[in-house]
């Protein structure tokens, strides 16, 4: 178990475009090979209670994201997302349709904001064994993938909020939404 520190918005690595991984087998970050690094990402995500995490959030500027939400935690089959590792992911929106929903981020603790995302996307990337992962997804699953992949392009969700009145502290927003 190796939980790494999650860097927060404002750190320069969260503003930069991350590097494509050319050779999975020889890749190392600070001496740590790919499988171990992905295990660290997984441990960190679990420890922090996240649904996804991107390598740059662990100060590693390479194109790796992981995400997943099991049925029990999601409380619904519709929101469940299989645990997935994506290296060098590519996203293609399947229509112009966007939907708004609140997002949070481990790098922006305590805050939430209303973010428009494509409703339907196709995504592809490699897993840690180099196998191609390809899926067409919509709704919450599509939102999570777009959020995580934004981190690889130096984008944190507050940059996508249209109206900053829809950005605030989680406890205050929840108070509004529960009435
Ligand atoms: Ni995030």
């Amino acid at each position: 178990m190796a939980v790494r520190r999650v860097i927060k918005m404002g750190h320069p690595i969260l503003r930069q475009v991350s590097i494509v991984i050319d050779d999975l087998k020889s890749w190392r970050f600070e001496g740590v090979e790919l499988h171990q690094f992905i295990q660290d990402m997984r441990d960190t995500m679990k420890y922090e209670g996240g649904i996804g995490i991107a390598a740059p959030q662990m100060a590693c500027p390479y194109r790796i994201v992981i995400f997943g939400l099991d049925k029990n935690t999601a409380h619904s089959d519709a929101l469940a997302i299989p645990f997935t590792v994506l290296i060098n992911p590519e996203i293609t929106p399947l229509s112009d349709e966007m939907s708004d929903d609140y997002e949070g981020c481990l790098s922006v603790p305590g805050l939430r904001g209303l973010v428009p995302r494509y409703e339907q996307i196709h995504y592809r990337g490699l897993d840690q064994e180099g196998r191609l992962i390809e899926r067409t997804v919509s709704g919450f699953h599509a939102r999570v993938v777009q959020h995580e992949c934004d981190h690889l392009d130096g984008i944190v969700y507050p940059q996508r909020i249209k109206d900053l009145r829809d950005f605030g502290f989680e406890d205050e927003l929840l108070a509004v939404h529960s009435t």
Side-chain angles (χ1 to χ4, degrees):
M1 180 104 175
V3 173
R4 288 175 177 249
R5 186 173 91 86
V6 176
I7 59 172
K8 293 194 273 298
M9 187 171 64
H11 190 294
I13 289 178
L14 289 176
R15 294 202 296 260
Q16 75 185 53
V17 175
S18 292
I19 303 160
V20 171
I21 298 181
D22 291 324
D23 182 354
L24 273 55
K25 284 198 173 67
S26 65
W27 184 86
R28 297 282 185 283
F29 178 70
E30 294 174 345
V32 176
E33 56 90 27
L34 187 66
H35 282 77
Q36 184 56 53
F37 188 80
I38 286 169
Q39 188 57 49
D40 291 357
M41 289 179 74
R42 212 173 165 152
D43 292 344
T44 305
M45 182 175 100
K46 191 173 176 190
Y47 177 80
E48 299 284 353
I51 296 165
I53 197 165
Q57 292 181 276
M58 296 162 60
C60 169
Y62 285 88
R63 301 186 81 82
I64 311 169
V65 300
I66 66 169
F67 50 86
L69 184 63
D70 64 49
K71 282 181 194 175
N72 294 333
T73 314
H75 299 299
S76 122
D77 285 3
L79 293 180
I81 300 172
F83 179 79
T84 305
V85 173
L86 278 186
I87 297 161
N88 303 333
E90 291 169 31
I91 294 177
T92 310
L94 296 180
S95 81
D96 293 336
E97 187 193 347
M98 310 284 285
S99 57
D100 291 331
D101 207 347
Y102 279 90
E103 294 186 11
C105 180
L106 298 177
S107 295
V108 192
L111 291 157
R112 296 185 72 74
L114 195 64
V115 182
R117 297 287 184 190
Y118 289 108
E119 181 58 26
Q120 258 217 327
I121 61 167
H122 179 264
Y123 68 80
R124 53 184 286 162
L126 302 177
D127 71 7
Q128 67 270 47
E129 312 294 343
R131 293 174 296 222
L132 181 68
I133 309 283
E134 233 180 331
R135 292 190 187 123
T136 296
V137 299
S138 60
F140 182 62
H141 187 155
R143 173 172 299 276
V144 169
V145 177
Q146 290 170 83
H147 175 115
E148 297 313 329
C149 291
D150 261 359
H151 280 300
L152 306 181
D153 292 326
I155 298 167
V156 186
Y157 81 81
Q159 292 164 247
R160 297 219 181 259
I161 298 171
K162 296 291 181 213
D163 182 341
L164 284 171
R165 287 176 295 185
D166 298 322
F167 184 41
F169 289 90
E170 194 166 21
D171 45 356
E172 306 290 2
L173 289 167
L174 285 173
V176 171
H177 288 285
S178 62
T179 56

